[in-house]
Amino acid sequence: MITDNMGAKDLPIGGNILEDGNSELFNTGEWRNKKPVHLDDKCKHCMLCVMPCPDNAIIHDEYDKMLGFDYNKCKGCGVCAKVCPFKAIEMKDE
Amino acid sequence: MIRERLSGNEAVAVAMRQINPDVVPAYPITPSTEVPQYFSSFMANGSVDTEFIPVESEHSAMSACIGASAAGARVMSATSSQGLSLMYEMLYIASGMRLPIVLTCVNRAVSAPINIHNDHSDSMGVRDCGFIQLYCESNQEAYDNLIMAVKIAEKAMLPVMVCFDGFITSHSVENIELLEDDIVKQFVGKYEPEHYLLNPNEFISMGPLDLQNYFFEHRKQLADAMKDSKRIIEEVSEEYAKISKRKYNLIENYRMDDSKIAMVVLNSTAGTAKEVVDKLRDEGIKVGLVKPRTFRPVPVKELVESLKDMKAIAIMDKADSINGFCGPLYSEITSALYSEGLNIPTVNYIYGLGGRDVKTSDIEDVFRSLLKIAKDGKKSQTTYYLGVRE
Ligand code: SF4
Ligand code: SF4
């Protein structure tokens, strides 16, 4: 496991990452300058916003209910707001 | 031991046959073309079981080397001049990912104007790319260094470039002593990387994004590995001496013992210069020669040790830095001397660019002017272009 304070002697050499599934640890939400906001009253839970999200950042439950956004992952690209047919996602400045 | 007569390219290809690497991606370029050419005939004969990848460019050749090496394969290739220039981007990736790729660099001038003959502009141009660089005077040295390079690369986890002079060494046939196939195979052994992509028992990502918090540490690892490679090169050379009876050091001192005047020179010109050293010694003039075998890592300690008592030194560069001052060998060796507090009159000769012939009489002129500098204790100029028409 790579930690923030590791020095040259301890880090795996050549930038190798010796574990799997670690992209989860990469907080792409830090890059966001616009934030999608879910307008629950307008949402029809059609799930059209889920697939196009490049970061898998749309939270939904097993019974197909759109619940909001994972702001640790959402880069604020606005694709979801664009595809929503019911204007149920609004992009707001951070 | 097998006595043979081979050209430098052939010698290197024979070494590759004996090593039997897993993957050889290559693209032809003069004067290194014969290396993959001979090697592909070994493939056709069934004497190696290498995966040979005829790629569409040198950029792809080094890319394929990187992919195969990351996958866990033992990988070799060969190139020259513009080919090495085209690899430039990927060379840094090979070293940064710490992949032990062995690359033969048959030294040739870099365009423009177009020239296919020997100088060291190609390998000197990539001197900071993180490859170990071994320089070879003769076909024998090219053969020996290539075999050692495999082991050095894998122990140091650094790529190695084996450099020798285009046409002069690559195409001239010399007597050579080869090792038996099984002795070479035993020496290089089986490549067992610690981490590799095709290992089914390990999860790994290689070459990922590496931003502000880690990149610097990874570069320090690379710097440390290059520093530590001196020890590894010495160990591997020691081991090689046992099977070959040929002992290589980081530098070769030729008749330096009681010398007060020295020339520092790489590759085949060292052979020409040794002839001149012998001649002057016969006249009772005490001169010597230092031939670095490694330029990366720079053998600082060894060079300082050999040169510290000199009264005058000529450093020969078969490449120009076009920096308005001097060539690459000069700037690094003089900085090594200066760092040790030594201020010896030292001159730089840029010589033989684009394959311009360097004769024993040219070398003798250099030594004779050093005699004068040693006598006066001062020089009138630092950098000369040996034999150029003004
Ligand atoms: S596309 Fe719009 S309406 Fe459909 S689930 Fe997403 S937010 Fe709700
Ligand atoms: S703004 Fe982009 S990243 Fe964020 S939830 Fe919408 S589609 Fe995904």
Side-chain angles (χ1 to χ4, degrees):
Chain A
M1 178 73 181
I2 295 165
T3 56
D4 275 0
N5 301 326
M6 277 167 98
K9 288 199 170 60
D10 298 319
L11 280 168
I13 76 154
N16 291 343
I17 300 173
L18 305 174
E19 60 194 17
D20 64 325
N22 47 62
S23 62
E24 239 177 351
L25 303 172
F26 195 4
N27 192 353
T28 49
E30 282 174 3
W31 307 359
R32 193 177 54 238
N33 63 6
K34 278 199 188 292
K35 175 181 184 164
V37 177
H38 187 210
L39 308 175
D40 208 20
D41 52 330
K42 292 191 183 170
C43 179
K44 307 280 186 248
H45 303 286
C46 66
M47 295 291 129
L48 282 175
C49 56
V50 175
M51 286 299 285
C53 171
D55 288 296
N56 242 344
I58 293 178
I59 307 167
H60 55 93
D61 75 2
E62 283 181 53
Y63 305 102
D64 292 350
K65 200 167 163 30
M66 163 29 169
L67 296 171
F69 304 96
D70 176 353
Y71 290 115
N72 284 330
K73 290 284 164 287
C74 167
K75 291 201 216 74
C77 68
V79 169
C80 53
K82 193 92 181 166
V83 298
C84 173
F86 304 102
K87 302 209 171 352
I89 298 172
E90 207 179 301
M91 297 304 291
K92 289 226 166 107
D93 284 341
E94 276 290 337
Chain B
M1 192 203 52
I2 309 155
R3 282 187 190 283
E4 259 288 11
R5 283 177 303 277
L6 298 175
S7 73
N9 281 344
E10 218 174 347
V12 157
V14 167
M16 286 168 71
R17 174 182 64 68
Q18 296 179 313
I19 292 160
N20 193 13
D22 300 310
V23 180
V24 171
Y27 188 85
I29 182 164
T30 304
S32 64
T33 304
E34 286 179 334
V35 176
Q37 185 186 325
Y38 284 120
F39 189 75
S40 55
S41 68
F42 297 141
M43 296 250 336
N45 297 343
S47 45
V48 288
D49 37 39
T50 305
E51 186 77 35
F52 184 78
I53 313 177
V55 287
E56 75 282 11
S57 76
E58 286 85 355
H59 188 279
S60 302
M62 189 40 67
S63 301
C65 285
I66 290 166
S69 182
R74 180 176 274 160
V75 184
M76 307 180 89
S77 187
T79 196
S80 293
S81 180
Q82 312 304 127
L84 190 66
S85 309
L86 189 51
M87 281 183 186
Y88 183 86
E89 178 190 9
M90 304 318 290
L91 297 174
Y92 279 75
I93 294 175
S95 64
M97 289 176 69
R98 305 292 302 279
L99 301 171
I101 295 159
V102 174
L103 178 68
T104 295
C105 172
V106 182
N107 288 116
R108 167 185 146 182
V110 176
S111 296
I114 297 173
N115 182 296
I116 58 165
H117 291 281
N118 168 247
D119 65 38
H120 302 155
S121 306
D122 49 5
S123 58
M124 285 298 167
V126 299
R127 62 188 179 273
D128 293 341
C129 75
F131 271 57
I132 289 172
Q133 291 190 334
L134 304 177
Y135 284 84
C136 317
E137 179 183 330
S138 61
N139 299 0
Q140 184 72 61
E141 289 191 14
Y143 171 81
D144 292 334
N145 274 326
L146 197 80
I147 295 169
M148 284 182 268
V150 172
K151 223 167 173 163
I152 292 166
E154 289 167 12
K155 285 191 174 194
M157 297 182 75
L158 283 175
V160 179
M161 200 178 290
V162 177
C163 309
F164 54 90
D165 288 344
F167 294 111
I168 301 165
T169 308
S170 69
H171 285 62
S172 305
V173 175
E174 290 180 336
N175 289 331
I176 187 167
E177 285 182 10
L178 303 177
L179 299 170
E180 306 284 348
D181 290 2
D182 56 335
I183 291 182
V184 175
K185 283 188 176 48
Q186 223 169 39
F187 178 77
V188 295
K190 194 172 172 307
Y191 176 41
E192 279 167 6
E194 199 187 341
H195 302 293
Y196 56 102
L197 289 174
L198 291 186
N199 181 354
N201 302 315
E202 183 183 52
F203 295 110
I204 184 168
S205 298
M206 293 177 97
L209 187 68
D210 198 37
L211 298 181
Q212 296 94 324
N213 197 39
Y214 300 108
F215 184 84
F216 202 2
E217 278 69 23
H218 286 125
R219 297 310 287 187
K220 178 65 168 33
Q221 289 179 340
L222 185 61
D224 288 343
M226 183 59 80
K227 208 168 173 185
D228 193 42
S229 73
K230 271 182 73 171
R231 176 186 60 78
I232 292 167
I233 296 166
E234 279 169 338
E235 277 171 19
V236 171
S237 306
E238 198 73 54
E239 222 181 300
Y240 190 76
K242 289 198 188 105
I243 59 164
S244 67
K245 307 275 178 296
R246 288 184 293 277
K247 176 71 174 74
Y248 291 93
N249 296 309
L250 297 172
I251 66 172
E252 181 190 336
N253 290 313
Y254 187 76
R255 307 194 73 166
M256 284 295 288
D257 281 351
D258 54 351
S259 179
K260 289 285 170 237
I261 282 167
M263 174 179 286
V264 183
V265 62
L266 295 171
N267 280 13
S268 67
T269 309
T272 314
K274 284 173 183 174
E275 189 77 19
V276 180
V277 169
D278 289 346
K279 184 185 166 221
L280 294 175
R281 286 262 170 183
D282 288 346
E283 291 173 21
I285 305 169
K286 288 179 176 167
V287 296
L289 177 145
V290 172
K291 183 186 75 178
R293 173 181 170 224
T294 65
F295 183 58
R296 289 292 180 267
V298 188
V300 175
K301 197 175 112 244
E302 292 71 13
L303 286 166
V304 167
E305 188 54 40
S306 294
L307 298 172
K308 66 181 192 310
D309 298 323
M310 294 302 114
K311 297 262 175 282
I313 305 166
I315 296 170
M316 311 296 286
D317 267 297
K318 213 171 186 177
D320 195 358
S321 284
I322 329 283
N323 56 6
F325 177 40
C326 67
L329 204 56
Y330 182 85
S331 59
E332 302 218 4
I333 295 178
T334 49
S335 84
L337 294 172
Y338 183 82
S339 304
E340 291 299 312
L342 297 165
N343 189 9
I344 302 165
T346 305
V347 285
N348 187 207
Y349 285 87
I350 311 288
Y351 74 99
L353 299 189
R356 175 68 57 87
D357 200 18
V358 178
K359 302 185 194 72
T360 49
S361 55
D362 300 319
I363 300 289
E364 193 174 329
D365 288 347
V366 173
F367 275 119
R368 297 223 181 260
S369 68
L370 284 184
L371 285 171
K372 199 171 167 318
I373 294 170
K375 198 159 139 266
D376 304 346
K378 58 177 187 286
K379 58 180 180 182
S380 55
Q381 188 180 327
T382 294
T383 305
Y384 298 85
Y385 287 76
L386 187 61
V388 82
R389 295 183 300 275
E390 288 295 346

